[in-house]
Amino acid sequence: MATRSRLLIGVGVLIVAGIAFLGFRSRSGRATYSAAPMDRGEIADVVGATGILQAVTTVQVGSQVSGTIASLSADFNSVVKKNQVIAHLDPSLFQARLDQALANLASARAGVDRSRAAIDDAKQKYDRSRELAAQGLVTQSDLDSAKATYDGAVAQNRADQAAVSQSAAALNQAKLDLEHSIILAPIDGVVLARNVDVGQTVAASLQAPILFVIANDLRRMEVNASVDEADIGRVRTGQDVTFRVDAFSGETFGGRVEQIRLQPVTSQNVVTYNTIITVDNSSLRLMPGMTATVSVVIASKKDALRLPNTALRFRPDGFEEAPRPAATGSAAATGPRMDGGKTKAGGPRAPGRSGLVFVLDDEGTPVPTKVRLGLSDGRYIEILDGLAEGARVITGTDSGHGAAAPGTAGSSNPFQPARPQPRTR
């Protein structure tokens, strides 16, 4: 029992000693700063968006007449030429209508001949009645009856001529229907979709049914990208574009902004604008319908002096920035800012704005330094003036128990002389 008591007392003493030691380390430990040297590299200011790859020209081939599919001459991925036959509808019904129209036209022409004969007969009787009436041998009523018969024959002839025109129009319609039973490719291209099979009946009563979808030359495609309204003001036609697709995740493809459509698209209170990007697809690797992650290159530099964006957000504990003096006129819009060059909405930094970073001196003390900012790609930002290549810029702190978030400095404050100065790792 005594042995167990001594063991418990020993364990307690060790625990108390450990707590005291850790407390002493916590009070005497000095925070260390994480720093990154200024280097050179490529920076590109881009606008991100997503879009769908599609053919420049896509035609939906339909049928103007109703009927049954008799044969198909094209399938998925078939390469077709303009006016090439790609399908046939059963022509028997259309041929029967054409034969009926021919018969109706012949009947109408016969009716014209009959009415002309009636005109000749009525004219002779009318002329004879006028001669007899002049001699007083027929009454006036008989003369009037003969004239009415003649006028009726003339009117009937005109009606028969109109029937001929009507029958001729019906014949032309029947011929067109028979021609339309042969489905032709309207453009040179590739069949993307075939929506019918042999034996299927298509009905064109209200709208033309879609039989095929044909895309024009797939060697030249386009991306229909949705650009947010906050970024559309920086996008211009002619700008270079890079994009990736999931099918080729390790590759980057290029394009160019061709058109910015003015019609806004609103979805869940988010306004976007469709931006058309032309793409060279000579390799035919890209396919219609692929989702593209697009980056519109607003500006870029190959050999820019840069530092991590986290350096602009770092502020040592206890550091207070001087209040910005009130400015009027153009100075209010273009004067230097000590907020790292951020916009009020947290958007991209405008080139030439001022920022504040902290550089380690020879004693490991953070020294505030004003810099002039250039392009930013979200990860790095260009430094136009204020720092030289190789300068060690603080990006965060590490108190010894893991890295702290940028802008904190643990328990040390280099701007309070009563506390020991921290050392760099």
Side-chain angles (χ1 to χ4, degrees):
M1 197 66 185
T3 302
R4 184 177 181 182
S5 299
R6 285 195 298 270
L7 180 60
L8 292 176
I9 293 172
V11 172
V13 171
L14 289 175
I15 292 175
V16 172
I19 293 174
F21 174 75
L22 292 177
F24 176 77
R25 280 194 62 184
S26 177
R27 289 191 299 271
S28 62
R30 298 183 179 182
T32 57
Y33 292 106
S34 299
M38 295 279 294
D39 63 356
R40 290 189 177 273
E42 182 178 3
I43 291 183
D45 182 14
V46 300
V47 168
T50 58
I52 301 298
L53 272 162
Q54 60 189 26
V56 175
T57 303
T58 302
V59 179
Q60 295 179 341
V61 182
S63 174
Q64 299 185 37
V65 294
S66 301
T68 303
I69 301 293
S71 64
L72 293 172
S73 303
D75 203 349
F76 291 94
N77 301 337
S78 295
V79 178
V80 296
K81 298 295 183 180
K82 185 176 181 180
N83 295 328
Q84 176 182 332
V85 177
I86 56 178
H88 280 94
L89 298 181
D90 184 3
S92 57
L93 180 61
F94 305 107
Q95 185 64 52
R97 291 176 181 173
L98 177 61
D99 295 340
Q100 182 178 0
L102 285 170
N104 291 339
L105 178 60
S107 176
R109 287 173 176 172
V112 171
D113 294 339
R114 184 172 55 252
S115 63
R116 285 176 181 172
I119 289 175
D120 293 340
D121 180 64
K123 188 175 185 306
Q124 290 178 359
K125 291 180 179 179
Y126 176 54
D127 291 342
R128 187 179 302 111
S129 296
R130 282 192 304 175
E131 293 176 358
L132 294 176
Q135 299 175 8
L137 299 177
V138 296
T139 61
Q140 184 63 34
S141 60
D142 292 336
L143 178 63
D144 294 340
S145 177
K147 184 177 183 305
T149 302
Y150 172 72
D151 292 340
V154 172
Q156 182 62 45
N157 178 257
R158 292 175 181 172
D160 291 341
Q161 289 179 353
V164 169
S165 299
Q166 186 176 6
S167 298
L171 177 62
N172 291 333
Q173 182 64 52
K175 289 180 179 180
L176 287 176
D177 289 345
L178 182 59
E179 292 176 0
H180 290 158
S181 67
I182 303 174
I183 310 300
L184 305 177
I187 60 173
D188 296 343
V190 179
V191 177
L192 299 183
R194 174 180 59 80
N195 301 326
V196 292
D197 291 303
V198 175
Q200 182 174 340
T201 301
V202 294
S205 56
L206 298 179
Q207 62 181 13
I210 299 174
L211 309 183
F212 298 90
V213 177
I214 299 178
N216 204 354
D217 189 6
L218 292 181
R219 291 176 177 83
R220 185 172 180 268
M221 299 183 68
E222 63 185 21
V223 177
N224 190 345
S226 299
V227 179
D228 190 86
E229 62 174 327
D231 297 322
I232 196 65
R234 300 199 294 155
V235 179
R236 298 288 184 272
T237 56
Q239 288 175 333
D240 292 331
V241 176
T242 60
F243 66 93
R244 294 175 178 269
V245 295
D246 292 338
F248 308 102
S249 57
E251 298 185 41
T252 300
F253 300 89
R256 188 175 296 273
V257 176
E258 180 74 15
Q259 182 187 56
I260 302 171
R261 294 180 177 172
L262 301 179
Q263 182 181 11
V265 178
T266 304
S267 176
Q268 297 180 352
N269 295 327
V270 176
V271 179
T272 58
Y273 291 85
N274 288 341
T275 302
I276 305 302
I277 300 163
T278 56
V279 177
D280 181 13
N281 188 33
S282 300
S283 63
L284 296 178
R285 300 174 68 194
L286 299 174
M287 303 179 186
M290 286 184 172
T291 301
T293 303
V294 176
S295 296
V296 181
V297 181
I298 306 302
S300 64
K301 286 188 178 180
K302 294 291 185 181
D303 190 30
L305 186 63
R306 64 184 187 176
L307 57 78
N309 272 352
T310 53
L312 291 171
R313 298 193 296 269
F314 172 78
R315 294 294 181 269
D317 186 24
F319 175 77
E320 295 183 2
E321 299 183 22
R324 184 184 177 189
T328 58
S330 60
T334 61
R337 296 175 60 178
M338 299 303 295
D339 58 357
K342 297 179 182 178
T343 61
K344 290 183 178 181
R349 299 175 178 86
R353 289 189 178 274
S354 62
L356 183 67
V357 297
F358 289 81
V359 181
L360 288 175
D361 62 10
D362 295 338
E363 299 179 356
T365 303
V367 178
T369 304
K370 291 183 180 181
V371 292
R372 194 157 58 92
L373 307 175
L375 298 178
S376 175
D377 60 4
R379 182 181 178 187
Y380 291 96
I381 189 166
E382 179 189 14
I383 301 301
L384 300 176
D385 190 20
L387 289 175
E389 185 175 357
R392 292 175 55 79
V393 182
I394 300 176
T395 58
T397 60
D398 187 354
S399 62
H401 304 288
T408 63
S411 59
S412 62
N413 181 4
F415 300 95
Q416 295 180 0
R419 298 186 180 183
Q421 296 294 337
R423 300 178 181 176
T424 60
R425 286 187 291 187

